[in-house]
Amino acid sequence: MEKPLVICSTLLIETSPQSLPLGAACIASSIKSDPRTKDKVRVILRDASKEENLSISKSKEKFLDGEVPGFFLASVYVWNRVELEAVALEIKKEYPSCITICGGPEVTANPFSFEKSFDYITTGPGEDIVPDLISKILEGKADSISKIIKASPQKNETLNLESPYLDGTLDPAKYGGALWELARGCPFKCSYCFESKGENKISYFPMERIKAELDLFAEKKIPQVFVLDPTYNADKKRAMEILNLISKKTPDTFYYFEARAEFIDRELARAFTKIPCALQFGLQSVDENVLRLVHRGFNKKAFVKNVGILNQEGVIFGFDLIYGLPGDTFKGFKQSMDFALNLYPNNLETFCLSVLPGTVLFDEAEKLNLHYETEAPYHVLYTDKYSKEDLKLSSELSLSCTLFYNIGRAVPWFISFVRFFNNQPHKFLQKFIKWYEKVYKNNILTCSFCSDADYFEVQKMQLAFLNDLCREKHCENVFRVLEDIVILNGAFSVNSSTGKSQKVQLKYHPDDLLSEYALDPMFFLKNAKPYRCTVLVQNGDYRLVKN
């Protein structure tokens, strides 16, 4: 008799290293390895992507792939809830004997809302409770099982779980990179995060597993790894040890870390420079009163000092900001943006607040005067201090920052240009988005810019905008300086990110354009001699070449 088939599934927001089916894969690995289930079922990991624009029936077909399921498990997030519920109901309709089970962050947050869509609902980590559930069902004990099953709290500081990478369940090469779990839990309790109701502690995966996974990444020549540890540098000794391992085992792989700026010191900053990597810091807001309302600490003095160390050591880093936080205002968000951009981050990611079910913020929403969407993605609609119009303006400013600063690779010259035009960062970006909407007739809302090819389209927009600003300021001659600075720095940035050589035409010598004098465009124009040349940028350096 053929063993029952267990399909572990999820719907990805996109097919990328940042969006691979790690949660579903972890459950699949646990079922494969658990003594209660490993010899009793067949386990398959299946995923689809929202980029494919599949109908519910097509998604169902892709998940099943012509096989008859005994169990259908769905890993549910904010972005895929509606689709996975519909798929599960379709599968149940076609195969009434199939047992449908759901888990994941969205389920853990609000399990009772899934009772009509799935046979069983699991909350919290599923590596133990899902094999136990399947085992009991196979043993005919279904009548004794509660419909909603809650995972027990993690008792040990070490997580002894099967790795979906090491057992072959998940091939990172298929997705062009890996999501890499080093730990679970967080020492902080920010009320907008799922960890706000956690145990206020971190549990770590053993170093033996970490070393073995690094060996696998090296063997498969994985180009990039996104580290899943909300505060990578919470334990400095461990952070240093893993950085040393990465340097030895995967020196050519690019790593992305989430860290806490207040915990950075020069030794750690220098360790980050030994590997290709970027750090992301959750700044969220610079208003201490706003942060206090969401139970997030912030030491502004230490933050600025330590970010300065990162800049001195040449570490790539970025910040996150949230608009719509309780107690915040549009003015406060603009002040936070100005603070962040004046610290020269490589990127500034800005998000509308989501009042996620299962968080402390969700429980306190009424008290904090938060009005939000009742369905995913649960964005805040307005607060007592943040009107609908202000949120719309914040969204436009956020879009401007993403387009002009992040995708436009503007960090080397942005602040100096802002100062030249006697502006503040947020006012400069507001002016750009108004200009863009006028010139491109609101097409910005349907555009998607994410590749290096798109960067050159954005660069054209930047230059056209800067040219118009120079005309307004009656300093048209300065534009040729600004243009060269944008083009040369863009060539270096694209060469760094892609490894591809870049050839550009310039009106000034690159030595001058890369000097500190270029930070003052008017001074540069008066003192630098024009020097028409062709420059080849490769391997992080440049040389003059003939046309």
Side-chain angles (χ1 to χ4, degrees), residues 247-279:
S247 177
K248 293 174 183 176
K249 292 178 179 287
T250 58
D252 299 321
T253 299
F254 199 96
Y255 286 80
Y256 298 86
F257 298 93
E258 293 182 44
R260 189 85 175 193
E262 289 91 331
F263 296 167
I264 293 290
D265 60 18
R266 195 164 299 274
E267 182 185 24
L268 190 55
R270 286 178 177 168
F272 280 117
T273 66
K274 304 300 182 186
I275 67 170
C277 72
L279 280 62

mmCIF file of all heavy atoms in Angstrom, residues 247-279:
data_model
loop_
_atom_site.group_PDB
_atom_site.id
_atom_site.type_symbol
_atom_site.label_atom_id
_atom_site.label_comp_id
_atom_site.label_asym_id
_atom_site.label_seq_id
_atom_site.Cartn_x
_atom_site.Cartn_y
_atom_site.Cartn_z
ATOM 1 N N SER A 247 33.915 34.207 6.322
ATOM 2 C CA SER A 247 35.097 34.684 5.613
ATOM 3 C C SER A 247 35.936 33.522 5.081
ATOM 4 O O SER A 247 36.484 33.591 3.975
ATOM 5 C CB SER A 247 35.942 35.553 6.552
ATOM 6 O OG SER A 247 37.126 35.976 5.935
ATOM 7 N N LYS A 248 36.008 32.450 5.843
ATOM 8 C CA LYS A 248 36.828 31.294 5.439
ATOM 9 C C LYS A 248 36.114 30.392 4.444
ATOM 10 O O LYS A 248 36.709 29.895 3.493
ATOM 11 C CB LYS A 248 37.210 30.478 6.689
ATOM 12 C CG LYS A 248 38.155 31.195 7.632
ATOM 13 C CD LYS A 248 38.374 30.387 8.906
ATOM 14 C CE LYS A 248 39.257 31.150 9.887
ATOM 15 N NZ LYS A 248 39.402 30.427 11.185
ATOM 16 N N LYS A 249 34.808 30.174 4.652
ATOM 17 C CA LYS A 249 34.093 29.168 3.878
ATOM 18 C C LYS A 249 33.414 29.721 2.611
ATOM 19 O O LYS A 249 33.345 29.037 1.593
ATOM 20 C CB LYS A 249 33.045 28.475 4.764
ATOM 21 C CG LYS A 249 33.637 27.613 5.871
ATOM 22 C CD LYS A 249 32.536 26.995 6.735
ATOM 23 C CE LYS A 249 33.083 26.109 7.827
ATOM 24 N NZ LYS A 249 33.612 24.836 7.313
ATOM 25 N N THR A 250 32.875 30.927 2.691
ATOM 26 C CA THR A 250 32.142 31.489 1.537
ATOM 27 C C THR A 250 32.567 32.938 1.304
ATOM 28 O O THR A 250 31.746 33.858 1.396
ATOM 29 C CB THR A 250 30.616 31.423 1.779
ATOM 30 O OG1 THR A 250 30.301 32.145 2.986
ATOM 31 C CG2 THR A 250 30.129 29.995 1.890
ATOM 32 N N PRO A 251 33.830 33.170 0.966
ATOM 33 C CA PRO A 251 34.327 34.544 0.836
ATOM 34 C C PRO A 251 33.721 35.329 -0.320
ATOM 35 O O PRO A 251 33.825 36.566 -0.346
ATOM 36 C CB PRO A 251 35.842 34.348 0.624
ATOM 37 C CG PRO A 251 35.962 32.976 0.027
ATOM 38 C CD PRO A 251 34.875 32.167 0.674
ATOM 39 N N ASP A 252 33.098 34.638 -1.282
ATOM 40 C CA ASP A 252 32.546 35.329 -2.445
ATOM 41 C C ASP A 252 31.030 35.506 -2.387
ATOM 42 O O ASP A 252 30.424 36.060 -3.310
ATOM 43 C CB ASP A 252 32.916 34.568 -3.727
ATOM 44 C CG ASP A 252 34.424 34.485 -3.933
ATOM 45 O OD1 ASP A 252 35.105 35.484 -3.639
ATOM 46 O OD2 ASP A 252 34.920 33.426 -4.357
ATOM 47 N N THR A 253 30.399 35.022 -1.320
ATOM 48 C CA THR A 253 28.946 35.142 -1.167
ATOM 49 C C THR A 253 28.599 36.445 -0.464
ATOM 50 O O THR A 253 29.241 36.821 0.516
ATOM 51 C CB THR A 253 28.392 33.949 -0.360
ATOM 52 O OG1 THR A 253 28.680 32.737 -1.053
ATOM 53 C CG2 THR A 253 26.889 34.070 -0.170
ATOM 54 N N PHE A 254 27.569 37.136 -0.959
ATOM 55 C CA PHE A 254 27.135 38.398 -0.351
ATOM 56 C C PHE A 254 26.072 38.110 0.704
ATOM 57 O O PHE A 254 25.090 37.413 0.440
ATOM 58 C CB PHE A 254 26.568 39.345 -1.412
ATOM 59 C CG PHE A 254 26.527 40.776 -0.964
ATOM 60 C CD1 PHE A 254 27.542 41.652 -1.303
ATOM 61 C CD2 PHE A 254 25.480 41.254 -0.187
ATOM 62 C CE1 PHE A 254 27.511 42.983 -0.879
ATOM 63 C CE2 PHE A 254 25.436 42.565 0.240
ATOM 64 C CZ PHE A 254 26.470 43.440 -0.107
ATOM 65 N N TYR A 255 26.252 38.677 1.903
ATOM 66 C CA TYR A 255 25.351 38.441 3.026
ATOM 67 C C TYR A 255 24.612 39.722 3.417
ATOM 68 O O TYR A 255 25.175 40.818 3.392
ATOM 69 C CB TYR A 255 26.129 37.921 4.242
ATOM 70 C CG TYR A 255 26.559 36.482 4.093
ATOM 71 C CD1 TYR A 255 27.683 36.153 3.349
ATOM 72 C CD2 TYR A 255 25.831 35.450 4.677
ATOM 73 C CE1 TYR A 255 28.077 34.826 3.185
ATOM 74 C CE2 TYR A 255 26.214 34.123 4.525
ATOM 75 C CZ TYR A 255 27.326 33.822 3.780
ATOM 76 O OH TYR A 255 27.698 32.512 3.606
ATOM 77 N N TYR A 256 23.348 39.539 3.807
ATOM 78 C CA TYR A 256 22.524 40.645 4.303
ATOM 79 C C TYR A 256 22.154 40.360 5.762
ATOM 80 O O TYR A 256 21.600 39.297 6.075
ATOM 81 C CB TYR A 256 21.253 40.788 3.465
ATOM 82 C CG TYR A 256 21.498 41.123 2.018
ATOM 83 C CD1 TYR A 256 21.746 40.120 1.081
ATOM 84 C CD2 TYR A 256 21.489 42.447 1.571
ATOM 85 C CE1 TYR A 256 21.982 40.421 -0.262
ATOM 86 C CE2 TYR A 256 21.719 42.758 0.237
ATOM 87 C CZ TYR A 256 21.964 41.744 -0.671
ATOM 88 O OH TYR A 256 22.190 42.040 -1.991
ATOM 89 N N PHE A 257 22.465 41.300 6.642
ATOM 90 C CA PHE A 257 22.211 41.139 8.076
ATOM 91 C C PHE A 257 21.247 42.207 8.583
ATOM 92 O O PHE A 257 21.261 43.342 8.100
ATOM 93 C CB PHE A 257 23.510 41.272 8.879
ATOM 94 C CG PHE A 257 24.566 40.252 8.574
ATOM 95 C CD1 PHE A 257 25.544 40.513 7.624
ATOM 96 C CD2 PHE A 257 24.591 39.037 9.238
ATOM 97 C CE1 PHE A 257 26.533 39.590 7.342
ATOM 98 C CE2 PHE A 257 25.581 38.097 8.965
ATOM 99 C CZ PHE A 257 26.552 38.381 8.008
ATOM 100 N N GLU A 258 20.440 41.836 9.581
ATOM 101 C CA GLU A 258 19.684 42.805 10.368
ATOM 102 C C GLU A 258 20.395 42.941 11.701
ATOM 103 O O GLU A 258 20.707 41.935 12.348
ATOM 104 C CB GLU A 258 18.247 42.333 10.583
ATOM 105 C CG GLU A 258 17.414 42.290 9.313
ATOM 106 C CD GLU A 258 15.983 41.867 9.592
ATOM 107 O OE1 GLU A 258 15.408 42.369 10.568
ATOM 108 O OE2 GLU A 258 15.463 41.037 8.838
ATOM 109 N N ALA A 259 20.661 44.162 12.108
ATOM 110 C CA ALA A 259 21.446 44.367 13.319
ATOM 111 C C ALA A 259 20.924 45.561 14.100
ATOM 112 O O ALA A 259 20.012 46.267 13.669
ATOM 113 C CB ALA A 259 22.919 44.565 12.958
ATOM 114 N N ARG A 260 21.524 45.768 15.236
ATOM 115 C CA ARG A 260 21.170 46.901 16.104
ATOM 116 C C ARG A 260 22.351 47.859 16.127
ATOM 117 O O ARG A 260 23.462 47.490 16.531
ATOM 118 C CB ARG A 260 20.870 46.381 17.521
ATOM 119 C CG ARG A 260 20.274 47.426 18.449
ATOM 120 C CD ARG A 260 18.771 47.523 18.303
ATOM 121 N NE ARG A 260 18.211 48.441 19.287
ATOM 122 C CZ ARG A 260 16.922 48.535 19.557
ATOM 123 N NH1 ARG A 260 16.053 47.786 18.912
ATOM 124 N NH2 ARG A 260 16.489 49.388 20.458
ATOM 125 N N ALA A 261 22.137 49.093 15.692
ATOM 126 C CA ALA A 261 23.237 50.047 15.571
ATOM 127 C C ALA A 261 23.876 50.353 16.931
ATOM 128 O O ALA A 261 25.087 50.577 17.022
ATOM 129 C CB ALA A 261 22.751 51.334 14.921
ATOM 130 N N GLU A 262 23.056 50.370 17.977
ATOM 131 C CA GLU A 262 23.588 50.696 19.304
ATOM 132 C C GLU A 262 24.593 49.649 19.800
ATOM 133 O O GLU A 262 25.354 49.928 20.735
ATOM 134 C CB GLU A 262 22.435 50.822 20.311
ATOM 135 C CG GLU A 262 21.568 52.056 20.111
ATOM 136 C CD GLU A 262 20.380 51.812 19.193
ATOM 137 O OE1 GLU A 262 20.481 50.947 18.299
ATOM 138 O OE2 GLU A 262 19.350 52.486 19.356
ATOM 139 N N PHE A 263 24.601 48.447 19.183
ATOM 140 C CA PHE A 263 25.517 47.386 19.616
ATOM 141 C C PHE A 263 26.785 47.301 18.759
ATOM 142 O O PHE A 263 27.610 46.412 18.943
ATOM 143 C CB PHE A 263 24.818 46.030 19.564
ATOM 144 C CG PHE A 263 23.644 45.888 20.499
ATOM 145 C CD1 PHE A 263 22.766 44.828 20.371
ATOM 146 C CD2 PHE A 263 23.415 46.807 21.510
ATOM 147 C CE1 PHE A 263 21.684 44.682 21.220
ATOM 148 C CE2 PHE A 263 22.331 46.683 22.372
ATOM 149 C CZ PHE A 263 21.460 45.612 22.228
ATOM 150 N N ILE A 264 26.934 48.210 17.818
ATOM 151 C CA ILE A 264 28.097 48.191 16.935
ATOM 152 C C ILE A 264 29.299 48.805 17.651
ATOM 153 O O ILE A 264 29.171 49.804 18.366
ATOM 154 C CB ILE A 264 27.807 48.984 15.637
ATOM 155 C CG1 ILE A 264 26.749 48.279 14.797
ATOM 156 C CG2 ILE A 264 29.085 49.194 14.824
ATOM 157 C CD1 ILE A 264 27.191 46.992 14.153
ATOM 158 N N ASP A 265 30.473 48.211 17.462
ATOM 159 C CA ASP A 265 31.718 48.857 17.869
ATOM 160 C C ASP A 265 32.719 48.712 16.722
ATOM 161 O O ASP A 265 32.420 48.084 15.706
ATOM 162 C CB ASP A 265 32.265 48.286 19.185
ATOM 163 C CG ASP A 265 32.580 46.795 19.119
ATOM 164 O OD1 ASP A 265 32.709 46.243 17.996
ATOM 165 O OD2 ASP A 265 32.701 46.167 20.171
ATOM 166 N N ARG A 266 33.895 49.278 16.875
ATOM 167 C CA ARG A 266 34.842 49.283 15.756
ATOM 168 C C ARG A 266 35.324 47.879 15.404
ATOM 169 O O ARG A 266 35.503 47.548 14.225
ATOM 170 C CB ARG A 266 36.035 50.200 16.055
ATOM 171 C CG ARG A 266 36.834 50.519 14.791
ATOM 172 C CD ARG A 266 37.754 51.701 15.011
ATOM 173 N NE ARG A 266 37.080 52.936 15.348
ATOM 174 C CZ ARG A 266 36.586 53.786 14.457
ATOM 175 N NH1 ARG A 266 36.639 53.509 13.154
ATOM 176 N NH2 ARG A 266 36.022 54.911 14.844
ATOM 177 N N GLU A 267 35.523 47.033 16.393
ATOM 178 C CA GLU A 267 35.981 45.670 16.113
ATOM 179 C C GLU A 267 34.958 44.918 15.266
ATOM 180 O O GLU A 267 35.311 44.245 14.288
ATOM 181 C CB GLU A 267 36.225 44.912 17.427
ATOM 182 C CG GLU A 267 36.743 43.491 17.197
ATOM 183 C CD GLU A 267 36.869 42.701 18.486
ATOM 184 O OE1 GLU A 267 36.168 43.018 19.468
ATOM 185 O OE2 GLU A 267 37.662 41.726 18.514
ATOM 186 N N LEU A 268 33.700 45.034 15.626
ATOM 187 C CA LEU A 268 32.649 44.357 14.876
ATOM 188 C C LEU A 268 32.496 44.968 13.479
ATOM 189 O O LEU A 268 32.319 44.255 12.489
ATOM 190 C CB LEU A 268 31.332 44.439 15.646
ATOM 191 C CG LEU A 268 30.161 43.590 15.143
ATOM 192 C CD1 LEU A 268 30.542 42.119 15.045
ATOM 193 C CD2 LEU A 268 28.953 43.758 16.060
ATOM 194 N N ALA A 269 32.574 46.310 13.407
ATOM 195 C CA ALA A 269 32.477 46.974 12.106
ATOM 196 C C ALA A 269 33.573 46.476 11.173
ATOM 197 O O ALA A 269 33.322 46.195 9.988
ATOM 198 C CB ALA A 269 32.570 48.485 12.282
ATOM 199 N N ARG A 270 34.786 46.359 11.673
ATOM 200 C CA ARG A 270 35.895 45.883 10.844
ATOM 201 C C ARG A 270 35.707 44.429 10.433
ATOM 202 O O ARG A 270 36.100 44.033 9.327
ATOM 203 C CB ARG A 270 37.217 46.070 11.586
ATOM 204 C CG ARG A 270 37.654 47.519 11.637
ATOM 205 C CD ARG A 270 38.934 47.739 12.404
ATOM 206 N NE ARG A 270 39.316 49.145 12.355
ATOM 207 C CZ ARG A 270 40.260 49.699 13.120
ATOM 208 N NH1 ARG A 270 40.922 48.965 13.992
ATOM 209 N NH2 ARG A 270 40.534 50.983 12.997
ATOM 210 N N ALA A 271 35.083 43.638 11.288
ATOM 211 C CA ALA A 271 34.814 42.235 10.945
ATOM 212 C C ALA A 271 33.830 42.152 9.781
ATOM 213 O O ALA A 271 33.953 41.284 8.907
ATOM 214 C CB ALA A 271 34.268 41.489 12.161
ATOM 215 N N PHE A 272 32.853 43.064 9.755
ATOM 216 C CA PHE A 272 31.899 43.076 8.635
ATOM 217 C C PHE A 272 32.594 43.429 7.318
ATOM 218 O O PHE A 272 32.168 42.987 6.253
ATOM 219 C CB PHE A 272 30.764 44.067 8.907
ATOM 220 C CG PHE A 272 29.693 43.545 9.826
ATOM 221 C CD1 PHE A 272 29.459 44.150 11.051
ATOM 222 C CD2 PHE A 272 28.917 42.450 9.465
ATOM 223 C CE1 PHE A 272 28.466 43.674 11.914
ATOM 224 C CE2 PHE A 272 27.921 41.974 10.311
ATOM 225 C CZ PHE A 272 27.699 42.578 11.539
ATOM 226 N N THR A 273 33.664 44.235 7.395
ATOM 227 C CA THR A 273 34.361 44.618 6.152
ATOM 228 C C THR A 273 35.162 43.466 5.556
ATOM 229 O O THR A 273 35.609 43.563 4.409
ATOM 230 C CB THR A 273 35.325 45.800 6.384
ATOM 231 O OG1 THR A 273 36.402 45.396 7.242
ATOM 232 C CG2 THR A 273 34.590 46.985 6.996
ATOM 233 N N LYS A 274 35.332 42.382 6.284
ATOM 234 C CA LYS A 274 36.125 41.244 5.794
ATOM 235 C C LYS A 274 35.333 40.344 4.857
ATOM 236 O O LYS A 274 35.893 39.438 4.237
ATOM 237 C CB LYS A 274 36.644 40.414 6.979
ATOM 238 C CG LYS A 274 37.450 41.195 8.006
ATOM 239 C CD LYS A 274 38.678 41.840 7.406
ATOM 240 C CE LYS A 274 39.495 42.580 8.479
ATOM 241 N NZ LYS A 274 40.630 43.329 7.896
ATOM 242 N N ILE A 275 34.028 40.567 4.771
ATOM 243 C CA ILE A 275 33.184 39.762 3.875
ATOM 244 C C ILE A 275 32.314 40.688 3.032
ATOM 245 O O ILE A 275 32.046 41.822 3.440
ATOM 246 C CB ILE A 275 32.287 38.766 4.651
ATOM 247 C CG1 ILE A 275 31.249 39.524 5.487
ATOM 248 C CG2 ILE A 275 33.113 37.829 5.523
ATOM 249 C CD1 ILE A 275 30.177 38.643 6.082
ATOM 250 N N PRO A 276 31.848 40.231 1.871
ATOM 251 C CA PRO A 276 30.883 41.042 1.110
ATOM 252 C C PRO A 276 29.544 41.031 1.842
ATOM 253 O O PRO A 276 28.938 39.971 2.015
ATOM 254 C CB PRO A 276 30.786 40.308 -0.236
ATOM 255 C CG PRO A 276 31.906 39.322 -0.264
ATOM 256 C CD PRO A 276 32.207 38.989 1.161
ATOM 257 N N CYS A 277 29.069 42.179 2.314
ATOM 258 C CA CYS A 277 27.829 42.185 3.093
ATOM 259 C C CYS A 277 27.217 43.573 3.177
ATOM 260 O O CYS A 277 27.849 44.575 2.835
ATOM 261 C CB CYS A 277 28.071 41.645 4.507
ATOM 262 S SG CYS A 277 29.000 42.769 5.590
ATOM 263 N N ALA A 278 25.982 43.600 3.645
ATOM 264 C CA ALA A 278 25.276 44.849 3.936
ATOM 265 C C ALA A 278 24.470 44.651 5.206
ATOM 266 O O ALA A 278 23.962 43.552 5.477
ATOM 267 C CB ALA A 278 24.358 45.239 2.781
ATOM 268 N N LEU A 279 24.351 45.709 5.995
ATOM 269 C CA LEU A 279 23.592 45.673 7.248
ATOM 270 C C LEU A 279 22.349 46.532 7.108
ATOM 271 O O LEU A 279 22.369 47.560 6.439
ATOM 272 C CB LEU A 279 24.436 46.198 8.411
ATOM 273 C CG LEU A 279 25.467 45.282 9.066
ATOM 274 C CD1 LEU A 279 26.538 44.851 8.079
ATOM 275 C CD2 LEU A 279 26.123 45.974 10.261
#
